[in-house]
Amino acid sequence: MLGEALARARAENRAALVGYLPAGFPTVEGGIAACTALLESGCDVVEVGLPHSDPVMDGPVIQTADTIALRGGVKIADVIRTVREAHAATGKPVLVMTYWNPVDRYGAERFAKELAAAGGAGCILPDLPVEESAGWRKAAERAGLATVFVVAPSSRDERLARITAAGSGFVYAASLMGVTGTRESVGHEARELVTRVRATTALPVCVGLGVSNPEQAAQVAEFADGVIVGSAFVKRLLDADGPEEGLAGVRELAAALAEGVRRG
């Protein structure tokens, strides 16, 4: 499912558009509606975030959304439900992006089985070291889930090779060092990182951290297999006066970004 979506984008001579929103934000129902809206409005894939109390990789925008979701009482069951309903409504691939601790406490085997039963395509685990990932990868493989690892410009070539050999689905290339958030520009580090990653694997390489407008999406789409956008979508929901305005905002942005990746 995930591979098919990325291959379809490649066949259309464009990068895939990958959206991100945390589950339970602004509410569980609102989060399901927003994830569905992204998929209906131009995203090829959606990442559903599992809100965490200490999101070390995430900037202030996503931290704020996570806090709202956690105060609302979001549970792992709500994350799985978000995946199930967004996928069922659109037929498009939906992944979960989560830090390792909640999965470890819940039980890797249990989490993988429930995610797969919900129609989930895989899991992105930004803080799980590849050397400690064998247990999860076995559970994910048995469940038919992709395991996506994150690489950064600081990763040495030999480490990139180790990470990409263990991963599946695609490689998440963090274009800049630091936390998530929109940027004024997308630097040359992203292009260099994609080149280095491609020397180690045939997996698609999707670039995240910083894209917020169609021009940046087009720029990244020139050299990446996928363009990942998170904080810009979250900000549309945070800045909206109400649920309907928020949904209209993320639909508008998804459509504009989809046009951007096609230009690229």
Side-chain angles (χ1 to χ4, degrees):
M1 179 170 45
L2 177 60
E4 291 171 1
L6 294 169
R8 187 161 50 249
R10 179 185 288 268
E12 295 173 3
N13 197 32
R14 65 174 178 87
L17 177 60
V18 182
Y20 165 91
L21 285 172
F25 169 74
T27 62
V28 173
E29 298 289 348
I32 292 169
C35 287
T36 303
L38 293 192
L39 291 167
E40 292 175 340
S41 304
C43 286
D44 300 284
V45 180
V46 156
E47 303 170 5
V48 174
L50 195 161
H52 194 271
S53 57
D54 186 24
V56 294
M57 183 180 168
D58 298 312
V61 171
I62 292 177
Q63 286 183 23
T64 298
D66 278 3
T67 298
I68 291 170
L70 291 168
R71 286 177 178 169
V74 69
K75 305 293 185 186
I76 286 180
D78 299 314
V79 178
I80 300 296
R81 179 187 164 203
T82 301
V83 172
R84 179 184 298 108
E85 296 197 17
H87 172 64
T90 65
K92 292 185 176 181
V94 183
L95 302 97
V96 166
M97 185 166 188
T98 177
Y99 295 100
W100 175 240
N101 185 56
V103 177
D104 190 34
R105 293 185 62 181
Y106 195 74
E109 193 78 32
R110 177 187 178 193
F111 187 86
K113 286 182 177 179
E114 292 184 8
L115 179 56
C123 204
I124 304 168
L125 296 156
D127 67 337
L128 177 63
V130 67
E131 294 83 2
E132 300 173 18
S133 68
W136 162 259
R137 286 188 286 120
K138 288 178 182 176
E141 186 175 356
R142 283 192 292 267
L145 299 173
T147 296
V148 178
F149 288 108
V150 178
V151 298
S154 60
S155 303
R156 296 179 180 272
D157 290 345
E158 58 270 24
R159 178 146 188 86
L160 288 179
R162 190 176 304 124
I163 292 170
T164 58
S168 56
F170 65 88
V171 181
Y172 188 130
S175 65
L176 296 168
M177 298 300 293
V179 298
T180 60
T182 60
R183 315 284 180 183
E184 291 299 319
S185 63
V186 179
H188 68 279
E189 295 96 338
R191 188 185 295 267
E192 292 179 358
L193 179 58
V194 169
T195 299
R196 292 172 58 217
V197 172
R198 282 188 174 146
T200 73
T201 183
L203 288 173
V205 185
C206 300
V207 171
L209 302 190
V211 172
S212 61
N213 58 55
E215 292 71 30
Q216 290 176 343
Q219 181 184 352
V220 175
E222 291 177 0
F223 58 85
D225 298 296
V227 179
I228 302 171
V229 181
S231 295
F233 285 126
V234 174
K235 194 170 188 307
R236 288 290 180 108
L237 293 175
L238 283 172
D239 292 346
D241 289 332
E244 293 306 316
E245 182 179 312
L247 286 178
V250 296
R251 286 184 183 276
E252 177 186 45
L253 181 58
L257 292 167
E259 184 66 27
V261 298
R262 283 165 172 79
R263 288 205 309 269

